[in-house]
Amino acid sequence: MFRSILFLASFIFILSSCKQNSENPKGQSAKTSEDAKSDVVFSMSGKKAFVYTTALNTDLKMSAFDTVGFEEKKQPLETEICVFVDPGKTFQPYVGIGGAITDASAETFYKMPKAQQDELITAYFDKTKGIGYNIIRTNINSCDFSSDNYTYIAEKDSTLTTFNIDHDKKFKIPMIKAAQQLIGKDIMFYGSPWSPPAWMKSNNNMLKGGKLLDQYHNVWAMYYTKFIKAYEAENIPVWGISVQNEPMATQTWESCIYTAEEERDFIKDHLGPTMEKEGLKDKKIIAWDHNRDMIYQRASTYLNDPEAAKYIWGIGFHWYEDWSGGKPMFDNLRRVYEAYPDKHLFFTEGCAESFKSGGYNNWALGEEYGRSMINDFNNGMVGFTDWNIFLDQTGGPNHVKNFCFAPIHGDTKTGQLIYTNAYYYIGHFSKYIQLGAKRIIAAPTRSQLISTAFLNPDGSVATIVMNESDKDVEYYVWVDGQAAKTVAKARSIGTVVVR
């Protein structure tokens, strides 16, 4: 009898194991639906590699550089530099790339001649003539890149009956609508606050940190919903909000401090429930919105609490952790991606700081973008939001003189648009990766090259390859035993589209 029971138990265990293995082959950890295998079927039949390049000391700016056929190459030699691309292994989805339309961006925009305004909007948001941005971030209340310090309500109005966005209707909203016309239905527009009104805070000041007072938690939560509804009344669909820009930084400009526990509790007890009550459950909530250095501690604090996690779409991050003299901490993203695969890693701000008018041609500006975007995508990032899309010839306006670079500047005295190489470096991603793409494997064989790759919904593959060395590098794009040979110019970024 005992032997019969043992046999039956063993038989049931084997059946159960087979079922588990069929659902989860090779014992891999389960992935969410967004991270599941792409339903796009990729075939190398008849494919060519179309190479687009931007390079130092050349006229190449996202220029068609090379068209190469594929030849059989089963086993490359160690002496042959390759970027191995595997469309059969898919990872996180791609939701897009864009930048922030701040007060500074919009004020500068409307100081430019109409022809340059049209050129700028086309350059950023047109999918064919430009680089196809679909994401727009803006500030809720004033930020450092505002000419003045403002909120949307009258002093001490805890009922929010005076809430209005008249301030934004002068510059920001018209510029956002101009971009929206080109983006169309794919727009991802979201807002981020730098500070609540001064009277809601412990320091009675929108600047220099301080904390949200307990008695205003519900009022401040309602403020976000007022912002969303006011913008949507202007026919600008709001995709989501972040809770607080840089909640660990006490700045000379608008800022507000939350510990991880305070932000978690604000989300689960106030912001999340208020959004639901106001019929805004579909709007995305982004937590953290600060640097990579502390991202795991912050994410784990929020996401280990299911009552907070249910409201959080993803974790926003910036790239400024090197303020202390260190290097970018890309691996910290991977820790969050591994631990919380059902949440999204979303870049919400980055720029080159310490503006100098003579620095427009500094090639390192674009390289910082390329390096960060490749590493962040490879560590789980789903989308990228640059900081100001447009600033003037001073790196502003900025009411605390925190002047920075943008990919494009406008000289309001001459009416000239000034493109930095950052515009082209970002474009190597945004122009060629299609919405709905999935990241795939891209593995260079030598450290001169860094790379990431995506399988697009139309079956093409976009592989971004960056060469930070001072020498041209010949390499093969290798896919499933076939290879196409091309060149990564010295100090360059290239996109190889296989179609």
Side-chain angles (χ1 to χ4, degrees):
M1 181 67 177
F2 175 76
R3 292 172 63 185
S4 298
I5 293 171
L6 182 63
F7 174 78
L8 181 60
S10 300
F11 182 71
I12 292 171
F13 175 78
I14 290 169
L15 283 178
S16 174
S17 299
C18 289
K19 184 175 186 295
Q20 288 178 356
N21 286 336
S22 68
E23 294 174 345
N24 189 16
K26 299 183 181 179
Q28 296 171 350
S29 59
K31 294 183 178 181
T32 66
S33 60
E34 285 190 311
D35 292 332
K37 184 177 176 63
S38 174
D39 57 3
V40 177
V41 177
F42 179 81
S43 168
M44 281 298 293
S45 177
K47 293 290 195 297
K48 289 185 177 181
F50 298 86
V51 185
Y52 305 89
T53 297
T54 297
L56 177 65
N57 296 329
T58 72
D59 293 328
L60 298 170
K61 295 177 179 177
M62 291 178 58
S63 304
F65 175 70
D66 203 359
T67 301
V68 193
F70 282 85
E71 298 180 355
E72 185 175 79
K73 196 173 193 64
K74 292 295 186 184
Q75 178 58 67
L77 302 174
E78 285 186 316
T79 53
E80 296 174 319
I81 299 175
C82 294
V83 176
F84 296 123
V85 178
D86 186 354
K89 301 292 186 297
T90 59
F91 302 93
Q92 80 275 12
Y94 170 80
V95 302
I97 288 171
I101 295 181
T102 58
D103 293 299
S105 295
E107 289 169 24
T108 303
F109 181 75
Y110 285 105
K111 292 177 182 176
M112 301 298 290
K114 182 63 167 60
Q116 278 65 43
Q117 292 177 18
D118 293 343
E119 179 185 336
L120 183 87
I121 294 295
T122 299
Y124 274 123
F125 299 103
D126 192 286
K127 295 179 177 64
T128 303
K129 299 176 182 177
I131 60 174
Y133 274 13
N134 71 299
I135 295 173
I136 300 174
R137 182 194 193 206
T138 201
N139 47 295
I140 300 174
N141 293 338
S142 58
C143 68
D144 50 331
F145 280 93
S146 302
S147 293
D148 55 342
N149 186 248
Y150 67 89
T151 71
Y152 300 124
I153 55 173
E155 184 75 8
K156 300 286 187 180
D157 176 19
S158 60
T159 65
L160 307 183
T161 55
T162 60
F163 191 98
N164 70 85
I165 55 170
D166 290 348
H167 180 283
D168 295 4
K169 291 179 181 179
K170 188 175 182 181
F171 296 119
K172 279 204 301 183
I173 286 176
M175 186 178 182
I176 291 165
K177 286 185 174 182
Q180 183 184 359
Q181 286 185 338
L182 288 182
I183 300 171
K185 63 180 177 58
D186 294 325
I187 188 171
M188 278 179 57
F189 172 75
Y190 70 103
S192 302
W194 268 243
S195 176
W199 51 270
M200 291 188 189
K201 295 174 64 183
S202 60
N203 63 344
N204 196 33
N205 191 346
M206 288 183 70
L207 317 182
K208 302 178 181 179
K211 294 196 173 191
L212 178 66
L213 293 170
D214 291 347
Q215 64 264 37
Y216 293 119
H217 280 171
N218 285 330
V219 178
W220 183 232
M222 185 64 75
Y223 201 99
Y224 297 81
T225 71
K226 294 280 190 181
F227 172 86
I228 292 169
K229 291 179 180 181
Y231 263 74
E232 295 202 327
E234 295 295 318
N235 295 314
I236 298 173
V238 179
W239 171 82
I241 54 171
S242 70
V243 180
Q244 170 63 45
N245 179 74
E246 299 186 347
M248 284 297 290
T250 299
Q251 304 283 21
T252 59
W253 54 87
E254 291 85 344
S255 43
C256 186
I257 305 302
Y258 293 80
T259 66
E261 292 79 7
E262 288 167 344
E263 188 178 5
R264 175 199 65 197
D265 294 347
F266 177 66
I267 292 168
K268 76 174 180 179
D269 295 334
H270 305 282
L271 182 57
T274 299
M275 295 278 279
E276 284 197 352
K277 184 180 70 174
E278 292 297 311
L280 300 172
K281 185 178 180 179
D282 63 319
K283 306 305 180 187
K284 308 299 189 271
I285 295 177
I286 301 165
W288 187 220
D289 201 2
H290 206 163
N291 295 328
R292 302 183 191 97
D293 49 4
M294 301 180 73
I295 193 169
Y296 189 84
Q297 180 264 339
R298 298 293 292 216
S300 61
T301 302
Y302 316 137
L303 301 178
N304 287 343
D305 184 331
E307 292 305 305
K310 68 182 182 181
Y311 296 116
I312 297 171
W313 174 82
I315 307 299
F317 66 96
H318 300 183
W319 73 20
Y320 307 116
E321 68 270 11
D322 58 359
W323 63 268
S324 63
K327 294 182 178 180
M329 304 188 74
F330 302 118
D331 285 349
N332 285 353
L333 297 189
R334 186 182 298 271
R335 306 296 172 251
V336 178
Y337 180 60
E338 291 168 341
Y340 306 99
D342 59 330
K343 298 300 180 182
H344 304 85
L345 289 164
F346 186 54
F347 188 89
T348 48
E349 185 186 315
C351 73
E353 300 173 277
S354 303
F355 175 81
K356 295 178 181 178
S357 60
Y360 292 132
N361 296 320
N362 181 1
W363 203 254
L365 293 175
E367 289 177 322
E368 182 174 20
Y369 282 90
R371 188 183 313 113
S372 287
M373 294 174 78
I374 288 171
N375 280 283
D376 287 340
F377 276 126
N378 286 342
N379 283 297
M381 179 177 77
V382 300
F384 179 92
T385 319
D386 188 27
W387 191 203
N388 303 277
I389 70 167
F390 191 50
L391 293 172
D392 69 15
Q393 68 274 16
T394 72
N398 185 294
H399 74 89
V400 292
K401 303 188 185 305
N402 179 35
F403 301 126
C404 297
F405 281 97
I408 304 176
H409 286 260
D411 189 322
T412 58
K413 295 179 180 178
T414 66
Q416 178 189 7
L417 292 181
I418 304 161
Y419 291 74
T420 75
N421 71 329
Y423 169 82
Y424 303 102
Y425 268 70
I426 297 169
H428 275 278
F429 301 82
S430 61
K431 189 173 181 69
Y432 303 106
I433 307 171
Q434 300 168 7
L435 298 182
K438 294 286 183 72
R439 182 176 64 85
I440 59 177
I441 293 291
T445 61
R446 290 293 178 268
S447 60
Q448 296 98 310
L449 304 180
I450 58 175
S451 181
T452 192
F454 287 82
L455 176 60
N456 285 322
D458 69 356
S460 65
V461 166
T463 302
I464 295 88
V465 179
M466 183 171 160
N467 177 11
E468 294 185 86
S469 78
D470 293 322
K471 295 181 179 180
D472 292 358
V473 176
E474 289 189 345
Y475 71 99
Y476 291 91
V477 178
W478 187 99
V479 186
D480 194 24
Q482 298 188 57
K485 189 175 184 180
T486 187
V487 176
K489 300 289 289 181
R491 303 285 294 278
S492 74
I493 188 167
T495 304
V496 182
V497 180
V498 177
R499 65 176 185 263

